Amino acid sequence: MESIRVYAPATVANVACGFDIFGFAVNRPGDEVVLTKKSSPGIVINEITGDDGRLPKDVAKNTAGIAIVKYLEFIGHSDQGFELSLHKDMPLGSGLGSSAASAVAGVFAANELMGKPLSQKDLLPFAMEGERVACGSAHADNVGPSLLGGFVVIRSYEPLDIIQLPTPNGLYASIVHPQIEVNTKDARRILEREITLGKTITQMGNVAGLVAGLLMSDYALIGRSLVDVIVEPARSILIPQFQEVKEAALRSGALGCSISGSGPSLFALSKGEETANQVAKAMSAAFNSVGIGSEAYVSQINHQGPMIR
């Protein structure tokens, strides 16, 4: 192949109690990369759409571009040139892994065009370099699920250890993105640097409970475990109407509701598509009641990850 078009899905990271260690992929929204080989060395970003002109075409500062650069260096083909077009189909700063999806689509496309010398899982460190450019931290809770699909656990960063968990077939996510923006760097800056033992024990119990709930398809346990006593209290102040939206989701039958990534998007998990649709409508209505417009998405957990179009 000389050219390829790849779509990579959005993700929900943290998943309430799992700051920087949990994430899952959804069917939409997502980002698309068109990558074409060229005869001369170097990567050229020809076009970026859907970003209102905000994203850099400088390869070293672009999440998709730098991921491909690091990948080519690793496989010993830095002389291979590419032309890249990036099509953003999700809001920037949405808390839905926008930078991760671009990085994943880019490095997945490059690996396909180079004859797949690396496994899909081995592409993760290069996608993480895209995250480093975007927010200063090479975290994997967005790029992991976007690249591998499904619900992932980042057990360790040194060494990198990623675990994929099964999820119940009836588990649906409702995601609502209010038309406001939260900067990831700002959202990380406001977090407490030291946590009390009591909060740590509570959070550990919820992490263990969520894993057990997913493994056993125990929806009630999943719901009881979607509680974040460390990050959500700090970040929720950055999201107008947060408490009202969360309460609307729970009243409509959601198992639990929290912030997607660093926000401002909120996610809720529900049993069944019908309930998930009701939850999404209630969350959007709660934002709209104070004049905040929003986009809503309802999806099962996406177990495929990136796909060739």
Side-chain angles (χ1 to χ4, degrees):
M1 288 189 296
E2 295 299 309
S3 184
I4 194 171
R5 182 185 296 265
V6 171
Y7 172 86
T11 48
V12 169
N14 302 337
V15 197
C17 54
F19 178 69
D20 274 7
I21 64 169
F22 283 166
F24 64 82
V26 293
N27 292 327
R28 57 181 294 269
D31 283 352
E32 186 175 79
V33 159
V34 179
L35 195 66
T36 304
K37 284 183 177 179
K38 64 186 183 75
S39 56
S40 57
I43 298 170
V44 176
I45 300 176
N46 287 333
E47 179 187 27
I48 303 176
T49 65
D51 69 327
D52 296 325
R54 295 167 58 190
L55 294 180
K57 290 186 177 180
D58 181 343
V59 172
K61 297 177 181 178
N62 182 280
T63 60
I66 195 64
I68 296 171
V69 168
K70 296 296 184 181
Y71 164 79
L72 291 174
E73 289 175 355
F74 182 83
I75 65 170
H77 283 280
S78 296
D79 57 341
Q80 175 62 59
F82 288 109
E83 293 184 0
L84 185 153
S85 295
L86 173 60
H87 304 290
K88 304 292 294 182
D89 192 29
M90 70 174 95
L92 305 185
S94 60
L96 297 175
S98 176
S99 57
S102 297
V104 165
V107 74
F108 181 90
N111 193 51
E112 291 288 322
L113 291 182
M114 296 304 291
K116 295 202 284 193
L118 299 184
S119 71
Q120 202 155 317
K121 195 169 187 177
D122 287 339
L123 300 176
L124 190 56
F126 314 112
M128 289 171 63
E129 288 303 312
E131 289 286 66
R132 191 189 305 277
V133 166
C135 67
S137 173
H139 55 95
D141 51 346
N142 287 115
V143 292
S146 185
L147 177 65
L148 303 175
F151 191 109
V152 304
V153 179
I154 296 90
R155 190 205 64 81
S156 166
Y157 278 92
E158 294 182 8
L160 189 60
D161 189 3
I162 306 291
I163 303 155
Q164 292 175 275
L165 295 180
T167 56
N169 289 334
L171 190 65
Y172 279 77
S174 307
I175 300 171
V176 176
H177 171 248
Q179 292 171 359
I180 58 175
E181 187 169 329
V182 172
N183 183 277
T184 302
K185 290 179 181 178
D186 292 339
R188 294 185 83 88
R189 235 189 318 262
I190 65 170
L191 299 179
E192 295 180 50
R193 294 293 173 242
E194 296 183 1
I195 308 299
T196 65
L197 180 60
K199 285 183 179 179
T200 302
I201 292 169
T202 299
Q203 200 85 337
M204 288 170 64
N206 287 326
V207 166
L210 183 52
V211 170
L214 293 172
L215 292 174
M216 298 189 298
S217 296
D218 187 332
Y219 291 95
L221 179 55
I222 290 170
R224 295 198 303 275
S225 303
L226 286 171
V227 178
D228 176 9
V229 299
I230 294 175
V231 177
E232 182 183 298
R235 286 184 168 173
S236 62
I237 64 174
L238 300 176
I239 305 171
Q241 198 72 351
F242 169 81
Q243 198 59 45
E244 291 80 2
V245 174
K246 181 173 181 174
E247 289 172 0
L250 297 175
R251 283 197 307 269
S252 298
L255 301 170
C257 176
S258 190
I259 302 167
S260 177
S262 56
S265 294
L266 271 64
F267 81 95
L269 292 180
S270 299
K271 182 179 181 180
E273 185 176 13
E274 183 178 349
T275 300
N277 281 318
Q278 293 172 354
V279 167
K281 289 177 183 177
M283 293 168 72
S284 293
F287 275 123
N288 191 56
S289 69
V290 291
I292 299 175
S294 62
E295 297 86 31
Y297 310 92
V298 173
S299 171
Q300 284 182 295
I301 309 301
N302 176 337
H303 287 278
Q304 181 173 356
M307 59 184 291
I308 300 170
R309 287 185 160 178

